[in-house]
Amino acid sequence: TLKINITVTFSLVCSGDTVLVAAGTYKGEGNGNIDFQGKSVVLNAVDGPDLTIIDCEYSARGFYFHSGESPATAVVGFKIINGWYREGGGAIRCEQSHPQIYNCILTDNAATFRGDAIYCENAIPTLIDCIISGNEREGIYIKHGGARIEGVVELVSNDWVGDDLVLTGPGTLHIRSGVIFNSDDSRIRCNISGPGTIKVGLRSELIIEGIADINLVDGDTKGTIQCDGLLRARDSARIRNATINVTRASFEGDVNICNNVITAEAGTPYGQFFVEDSVKISGNEIHAD
C-alpha cells in the first residue's frame, strides 16, 4: 500500500500541471476528500483503474469539486471504492464545477443523502469511458445541471436520478438490465443504449433532440421508456428497439421511430400522439387510439 498523501501533493502544483500517480492503493489521511482548489490540474493514474485504487475506508468521499473547476481539471484512471459522505456523493461531489472524469470505476460507495457514487448540483461534469457499478443505491444524482457523455459510460446495478438536467456529447450512456434512468423535465442530446429503463414522472417532460439515438436493446431483450408525463422527440433524434409506455407523445421534425412496442394510456383527451413534419414511423407495434 502506498502512503502518498495526494492532498499534500496538490498544495505543490499549479494550474496547467499534470500529476502522474503510480499504481497502488491510496488510503488514509490525505487520500480522501481530495480538493482541486479550483486548479486546472490533470491527476493521471497511468496504469489505470484496475491497478490504481483510492480506498476511502468509509470515512470520506474520493473527490470534492466546488471551486469552479473547468473541463481542464481531470481525474483519469482511478478506481474509487468504499467512499461515504453524509451530504451526498460517496465517491465524487460536484457543485458549480465542470471537471472531467475519465476511465474511472466507481464501486462500493455510499451516501446518506443522494448520489452514492456521484452527486452533482449546478454542475456539468464530463464522463468518459467510466463504469458506475455496485454502489449502495443510486449511481448518479444530478440536479439543475447535466453531464457530457463521451466514449461509453456504463451504469450497472445502479440507477441515475436526474431533475432538470441536460445530457450532451458524442458518447453513449449504456444502461444495463434492471437499471432505471430517471429523467424528469430533462433533455437528452447524447446516445443511450442497453436494456434498462428510462423513466419520466407524472407532470414531467422528457425531450430527446438533436441527433440522439435511443436504442434500448441487448440481444433479444428490449429496454423500456416508461413515461407518465410527456415524451417529446424532435430534430433528427431516433428511438428504436424499445418498449414504450406513454400517456402523451409528440414527434416532430425528422425523427425516426422504429421497431418499438408502443402502448398508450386509453382515454387521454385530444389524442395521444402528435406527429408533425417528416417524422418516420416504421416497424412498430402500436396499442393506442
Side-chain angles (χ1 to χ4, degrees):
T1 301
L2 301 180
K3 301 296 184 182
I4 295 173
N5 187 309
I6 295 177
T7 298
V8 170
T9 299
F10 266 93
S11 68
L12 305 175
V13 300
C14 301
S15 288
D17 288 347
T18 296
V19 178
L20 302 180
V21 181
T25 299
Y26 293 77
K27 59 184 179 180
E29 185 177 356
N31 292 316
N33 294 324
I34 299 165
D35 190 339
F36 277 65
Q37 304 164 20
K39 297 177 182 179
S40 299
V41 172
V42 176
L43 187 67
N44 186 1
V46 293
D47 291 309
D50 290 331
L51 298 177
T52 315
I53 300 167
I54 294 177
D55 184 352
C56 300
E57 301 180 289
Y58 296 111
S59 61
R61 64 166 59 96
F63 294 92
Y64 184 26
F65 300 100
H66 62 111
S67 302
E69 288 86 358
S70 74
T73 298
V75 174
V76 183
F78 287 89
K79 180 186 287 184
I80 305 172
I81 64 171
N82 301 330
W84 179 86
Y85 212 80
R86 183 180 303 277
E87 296 177 356
I92 297 171
R93 185 180 177 101
C94 299
E95 298 172 0
Q96 299 179 339
S97 55
H98 317 294
Q100 290 192 57
I101 312 298
Y102 179 26
N103 188 28
C104 289
I105 298 173
L106 281 59
T107 188
D108 293 324
N109 300 288
T112 302
F113 180 49
R114 305 299 301 259
D116 294 282
I118 299 176
Y119 179 99
C120 296
E121 188 167 351
N122 298 310
I124 307 175
T126 298
L127 305 178
I128 310 170
D129 292 331
C130 291
I131 299 174
I132 295 93
S133 172
N135 300 283
E136 187 168 302
R137 295 176 302 274
E138 295 172 353
I140 300 176
Y141 177 83
I142 297 181
K143 182 178 181 180
H144 306 318
R148 180 174 173 84
I149 306 296
E150 298 185 11
V152 177
V153 175
E154 292 265 0
L155 272 178
V156 185
S157 69
N158 281 145
D159 295 342
W160 178 315
V161 177
D163 183 4
D164 185 25
L165 66 86
V166 180
L167 285 190
T168 64
T172 298
L173 175 65
H174 187 78
I175 51 177
R176 296 279 188 92
S177 180
V179 170
I180 299 175
F181 175 81
N182 294 274
S183 52
D184 288 351
D185 293 323
S186 299
R187 298 187 179 191
I188 295 176
R189 299 173 183 163
C190 68
N191 301 330
I192 298 182
S193 67
T197 297
I198 298 174
K199 188 174 182 180
V200 185
L202 189 66
R203 293 184 293 276
S204 294
E205 179 181 36
L206 174 63
I207 300 175
I208 301 169
E209 60 187 0
I211 58 172
D213 183 9
I214 311 302
N215 184 18
L216 301 185
V217 67
D218 186 3
D220 295 328
T221 303
K222 287 186 176 181
T224 300
I225 298 177
Q226 179 64 48
C227 184
D228 296 323
L230 171 62
L231 174 64
R232 186 177 181 187
R234 63 189 184 189
D235 302 329
S236 298
R238 292 196 295 174
I239 303 176
R240 53 199 179 109
N241 300 313
T243 298
I244 304 175
N245 302 315
V246 294
T247 299
R248 293 176 296 139
S250 178
F251 302 137
E252 311 158 18
D254 293 323
V255 165
N256 191 334
I257 310 296
C258 64
N259 301 326
N260 303 288
V261 177
I262 304 174
T263 301
E265 180 181 324
T268 301
Y270 312 119
Q272 296 158 344
F273 295 95
F274 299 86
V275 182
E276 303 177 5
D277 305 322
S278 53
V279 173
K280 296 179 181 178
I281 300 179
S282 63
N284 302 281
E285 179 182 326
I286 299 176
H287 304 268
D289 293 343

